[in-house]
C-alpha cells in the first residue's frame, strides 16, 4: 500500500484519488495517478469507456477536429501505433480508439462501470470525500477529480406534451445501440446545432418525409472528409512534435492561426480568395480565426458572415429556405462553426421541409406529432437534437457539498465561480477538468484535457513532496480569476451572441454567465504553468 503523505493513515477502504468519469479526462487522470504511485479508482455511469463518444452514437456523428490532432499526445508510441482511417473520424472509430487506450494501459481494472455518481460530500474532520454512486454505494477518497465532461448532460426539452407522443422518441445524446430504420417513416428533428447538422442529412436519405424544426440556425462548412493515405500518415508522423507544439501554444488547440492582424489588411478579392481556400478544404477553425480581429471587430466579422451567407445561398435552391438557414443574430466564430456532409443540399430534397419555429412556434407535442401555430404535422418518429447543459450541467446534476455542507448548486446559483477552471473555493481537494473558467469547449478538447490532467498530477506530486494533505482555491484569487475571464470575454464579440450556449442561453433558468476562457489555449497554459512554478499562489494548502 502507498505510504506517501497523501495516503497517510490510509485504510483498505480509503482511496488516494477518486475520479468521476471514464472519458478522455478520466482515463488519462487514472494513468497519471498510477505513475505517481497513488491508489486511484474511476466511477463511470456507462458500461464502458469513452464518455460522450459512448453515449452519442447518432448516425453521421463525426469529430470537428482532424483525427491526428484529436488524440492523446502523452505517449509517442501510442501516437505511432494507432492508424486513423479518415480525416475527420466517425464515432465508431473514436470509440474504438478509447477502448484501445483502456486496454493498452490496463485501465479497466480500476474503473467501476454502471456507477452513476449521485452525491459527494467533503468530511472536513477527516479531510475525506465521500461519494455515493448507483449500484455500488459509497466510496471514500482524499481527493476527488471531476472528469465529467463539458458536454455530457443533455439539455431538458421542455415542450408541452412531449410525454404524450405515441411514436418513437429519440434524443441524439442517448441514441439506441441498435441501428434505427427510418425507411418510409415520417420523421421530425428538433434542433439544428452541430448535432442536427450531422444527423439530418443521414435521416433524409431514407425517411419518407423529414420535417426539420429550427429555432437558431448554425454556420456550417463542408467537411470534405476523405480516407487518409499512407502518405498522409507518414507526413504526420514526421511532423508530430511540431504539430503538438503548435496545438499547445495556439489560440484554440489546433493548427489554425491568423493570416493577418485585420480582415481589412486584405482587399475584397484577396479576402474572398482566402475564405474560399479555407471553405474549400473544410478548415472551419482556420476560417473562424483567419484574422486577429475576427472575434473582436464587428465589421471584420461581418466579412465572414456575408461570405458564409453567400455560400448558403449557393447550396440551397429555394431563396426563402436559404434565408431561414442564414444566421441573423450571430457572429462567425462565437460558436464553433459546424462541419457538414451535404447539410444545406438536404433542403433541396423533395422529402425535406424546414420549419422556422421562431415565426411558427411549436405549441405542443401530441400523440400523433407536432402542433405548430400554423397547423399539425403527423410524425412516426421524433428526434431531439437539442444539445447539452454545457460545462456546469454534469457537476450540478450531482449533490456536491463542500466545507460545512455548502452545496455547489448554491455557490453557483448566480453562475459558476472557480480558480482557473480547476478548483473551487469552499470545496477542498476537489479538482475539475476543463471546468468553467478554462478554454474547455472553446478549444480542441484533447489539448485542454491533457493540460489539465498534467497540471493536477503535478500539483498532487507537489503536495506529496511538501507533506500537504489539503488544497483549496483561495476566495480572493478565485474572484480575481472570474473577473479576468469576464474581462477577456467582454473585449470580444462572444458575450454579444445572446443565444449562445457558451452563456448558458440554451437552458431555461440558467444564469447568463460567459463560461469559457477565450484568451487562448497557449496563453492559458502559460498562466497555469507559471502558477505551478511559483508554488501555486492563490491556492491554500494545509
Amino acid at each position: 500500500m502507498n505510504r506517501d503523505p497523501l495516503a497517510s493513515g490510509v485504510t483498505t477502504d480509503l482511496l488516494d484519488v477518486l475520479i468521476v468519469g471514464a472519458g478522455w479526462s478520466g482515463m488519462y487522470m487514472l494513468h497519471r495517478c498510477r505513475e505517481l504511485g497513488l491508489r486511484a479508482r474511476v466511477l463511470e455511469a456507462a458500461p464502458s469507456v469513452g464518455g460522450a463518444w459512448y453515449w452519442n452514437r447518432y448516425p453521421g456523428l463525426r469529430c470537428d477536429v482532424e483525427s491526428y490532432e484529436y488524440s492523446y499526445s502523452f505517449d509517442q508510441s501510442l501516437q505511432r501505433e494507432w492508424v486513423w482511417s479518415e480525416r475527420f473520424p466517425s464515432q465508431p472509430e473514436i470509440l474504438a480508439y478509447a477502448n484501445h487506450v483502456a486496454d493498452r494501459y490496463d485501465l479497466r481494472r480500476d474503473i467501476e462501470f454502471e456507477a452513476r455518481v449521485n452525491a459527494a460530500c467533503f468530511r472536513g474532520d477527516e479531510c475525506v470525500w465521500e461519494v455515493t454512486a448507483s449500484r455500488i454505494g459509497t466510496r471514500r477518497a482524499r481527493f476527488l477529480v471531476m472528469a465529467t465532461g463539458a458536454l455530457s448532460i443533455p439539455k431538458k426539452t421542455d415542450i408541452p406534451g412531449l410525454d404524450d407522443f405515441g411514436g418513437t422518441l429519440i434524443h441524439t445524446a442517448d441514441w439506441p445501440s441498435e441501428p434505427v430504420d427510418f425507411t418510409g417513416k415520417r420523421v421530425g428533428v428538433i434542433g439544428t446545432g452541430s448535432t442536427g447538422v450531422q444527423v439530418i442529412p443521414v435521416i433524409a436519405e431514407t425517411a419518407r418525409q423529414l420535417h426539420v424544426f429550427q429555432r437558431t440556425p448554425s454556420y456550417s462548412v463542408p467537411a470534405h472528409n476523405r480516407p487518409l493515405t499512407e502518405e498522409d500518415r507518414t507526413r504526420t508522423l514526421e511532423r508530430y512534435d511540431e504539430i503538438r507544439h503548435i496545438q499547445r501554444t495556439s489560440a484554440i488547440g489546433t493548427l489554425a492561426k491568423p493570416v493577418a492582424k485585420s480582415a481589412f489588411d486584405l482587399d475584397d478579392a484577396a479576402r474572398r480568395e482566402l475564405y474560399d481556400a479555407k471553405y474549400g478544404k473544410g478548415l472551419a477553425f482556420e476560417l473562424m480565426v483567419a484574422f486577429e480581429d475576427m472575434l473582436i471587430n464587428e465589421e471584420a466579422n461581418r466579412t465572414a458572415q456575408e461570405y458564409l451567407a453567400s455560400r448558403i445561398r449557393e447550396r440551397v435552391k429555394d431563396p426563402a429556405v436559404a434565408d431561414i438557414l442564414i444566421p441573423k443574430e450571430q457572429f462567425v466564430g462565437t460558436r464553433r462553426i459546424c462541419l457538414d456532409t451535404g447539410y444545406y443540399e438536404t433542403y433541396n430534397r423533395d422529402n425535406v421541409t424546414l420549419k422556422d419555429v421562431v415565426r411558427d412556434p411549436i405549441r405542443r407535442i401530441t400523440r400523433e406529432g407536432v402542433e405548430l401555430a400554423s397547423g399539425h404535422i403527423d410524425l412516426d418518429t421524433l428526434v431531439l437534437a437539442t444539445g447539452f447543459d454545457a460545462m456546469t450541467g454534469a457537476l450540478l446534476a450531482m449533490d456536491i457539498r463542500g466545507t460545512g455542507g455548502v452545496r455547489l448548486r448554491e455557490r453557483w446559483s448566480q453562475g459558476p465561480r472557480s480558480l482557473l477552471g480547476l478548483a473551487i473555493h469552499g470545496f477542498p481537494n476537489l479538482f475539475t477538468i476543463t471546468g468553467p473558467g478554462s478554454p474547455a469547449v472553446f478549444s480542441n478538447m484533447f489539448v485542454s484535457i491533457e493540460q489539465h490532467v498534467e497540471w493536477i498530477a503535478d500539483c498532487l506530486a507537489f503536495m506529496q513532496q511538501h507533506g500537504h494533505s489539503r488544497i483549496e482555491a483561495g476566495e480572493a484569487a478565485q474572484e480575481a480569476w472570474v473577473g479576468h475571464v469576464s474581462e477577456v470575454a467582454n473585449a470580444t464579440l462572444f458575450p454579444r451572441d445572446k443565444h449562445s450556449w457558451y452563456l448558458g442561453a440554451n437552458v431555461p433558468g440558467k444564469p447568463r454567465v460567459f463560461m469559457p476562457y477565450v484568451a487562448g489555449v497557449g496563453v492559458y497554459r502559460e498562466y497555469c504553468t507559471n502558477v505551478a512554478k511559483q508554488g501555486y499562489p492563490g491556492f491554500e494548502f494545509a
Side-chain angles (χ1 to χ4, degrees), residues 292-333:
E292 290 183 14
D293 62 351
M294 181 74 85
L295 297 171
I296 300 172
N297 185 307
E298 185 172 349
E299 294 304 314
N301 195 277
R302 186 171 290 116
T303 66
Q305 295 173 46
E306 292 171 351
Y307 174 80
L308 290 176
S310 72
R311 299 310 297 254
I312 294 171
R313 292 189 183 98
E314 289 173 6
R315 295 172 65 182
V316 181
K317 293 178 181 177
D318 186 332
V321 173
D323 186 66
I324 297 172
L325 290 166
I326 296 171
K328 304 298 190 302
E329 298 178 357
Q330 188 182 138
F331 298 102
V332 172

Side-chain angles (χ1 to χ4, degrees), residues 22 34 62 141 174 212 249 263 297 351 414 441 502 519:
R34 285 179 178 176
R62 293 185 182 278
D174 190 20
V212 178
T249 56
N297 185 307
N351 67 326
Q414 301 303 310
V441 291
Y502 288 169

Side-chain angles (χ1 to χ4, degrees), residues 177-443:
S177 55
E178 297 299 320
V180 179
D181 186 6
F182 296 103
T183 303
K185 300 290 180 64
R186 299 165 300 177
V187 184
V189 175
I190 299 177
T192 54
S194 59
T195 299
V197 165
Q198 290 184 325
V199 75
I200 284 167
V202 180
I203 295 175
E205 291 175 359
T206 57
R208 184 173 106 200
Q209 190 69 37
L210 173 61
H211 300 274
V212 178
F213 303 94
Q214 174 186 276
R215 182 189 66 174
T216 307
S218 300
Y219 284 113
S220 184
V221 304
H224 298 291
N225 192 35
R226 61 175 176 81
L228 292 177
T229 65
E230 187 60 33
E231 182 182 354
D232 293 324
R233 184 168 183 270
T234 299
R235 189 185 309 116
T236 299
L237 292 176
E238 289 174 349
R239 293 188 59 219
Y240 238 144
D241 288 346
E242 176 191 0
I243 289 169
R244 296 308 194 188
H245 174 73
I246 294 172
Q247 285 182 292
R248 293 168 187 149
T249 56
S250 70
I252 53 179
T254 72
L255 302 186
K257 59 182 179 180
V259 298
K261 283 188 174 296
S262 173
F264 301 108
D265 288 345
L266 279 64
D267 62 30
D268 291 350
R271 190 169 56 245
R272 172 82 190 200
E273 184 178 350
L274 174 68
Y275 286 156
D276 281 342
K278 306 299 184 187
Y279 191 90
K281 295 180 181 178
L283 299 174
F285 289 113
E286 292 201 14
L287 198 156
M288 192 170 81
V289 295
F291 303 102
E292 290 183 14
D293 62 351
M294 181 74 85
L295 297 171
I296 300 172
N297 185 307
E298 185 172 349
E299 294 304 314
N301 195 277
R302 186 171 290 116
T303 66
Q305 295 173 46
E306 292 171 351
Y307 174 80
L308 290 176
S310 72
R311 299 310 297 254
I312 294 171
R313 292 189 183 98
E314 289 173 6
R315 295 172 65 182
V316 181
K317 293 178 181 177
D318 186 332
V321 173
D323 186 66
I324 297 172
L325 290 166
I326 296 171
K328 304 298 190 302
E329 298 178 357
Q330 188 182 138
F331 298 102
V332 172
T334 53
R335 307 178 200 186
R336 289 171 79 129
I337 298 176
C338 301
L339 282 177
D340 71 83
T341 302
Y343 174 65
Y344 293 113
E345 290 78 5
T346 297
Y347 295 98
N348 298 328
R349 299 176 63 107
D350 292 337
N351 67 326
V352 177
T353 61
L354 177 63
K355 302 293 183 181
D356 181 354
V357 299
V358 174
R359 300 177 187 172
D360 189 9
I362 296 175
R363 287 183 171 171
R364 62 177 290 105
I365 307 298
T366 69
R367 179 174 177 79
E368 292 78 22
V370 174
E371 181 183 318
L372 300 169
S374 62
H376 192 274
I377 296 176
D378 293 340
L379 299 174
D380 303 303
T381 304
L382 181 58
V383 175
L384 304 178
T386 48
F388 297 88
D389 185 350
M391 297 195 75
T392 61
L395 294 170
L396 298 182
M398 297 174 274
D399 183 11
I400 301 175
R401 305 189 189 194
T403 304
V406 64
R407 286 182 166 89
L408 184 62
R409 292 173 194 159
E410 295 172 2
R411 282 291 173 89
W412 283 6
S413 62
Q414 301 303 310
R417 314 188 78 76
S418 77
L419 179 53
L420 300 175
L422 280 160
I424 307 164
H425 176 69
F427 296 81
N429 292 3
L430 172 72
F431 294 102
T432 56
I433 300 177
T434 62
S438 73
V441 291
F442 184 63
S443 70

Side-chain angles (χ1 to χ4, degrees), residues 502-516:
Y502 288 169
L503 279 165
N506 63 321
V507 179
K510 188 169 182 175
R512 299 297 185 263
V513 175
F514 191 80
M515 293 178 283

Side-chain angles (χ1 to χ4, degrees), residues 55-72:
W55 295 110
N56 290 263
R57 59 176 76 92
Y58 59 83
L61 174 56
R62 293 185 182 278
C63 186
D64 61 355
V65 178
E66 296 194 47
S67 54
Y68 59 84
E69 293 188 61
Y70 190 78
S71 57
Y72 286 119

Side-chain angles (χ1 to χ4, degrees), residues 18-40:
L18 189 63
I19 303 159
V20 181
W24 307 128
S25 306
M27 288 197 292
Y28 187 34
M29 191 74 245
L30 174 59
H31 178 67
R32 290 304 299 261
C33 284
R34 285 179 178 176
E35 289 183 332
L36 290 172
L38 300 175
R39 189 164 175 256

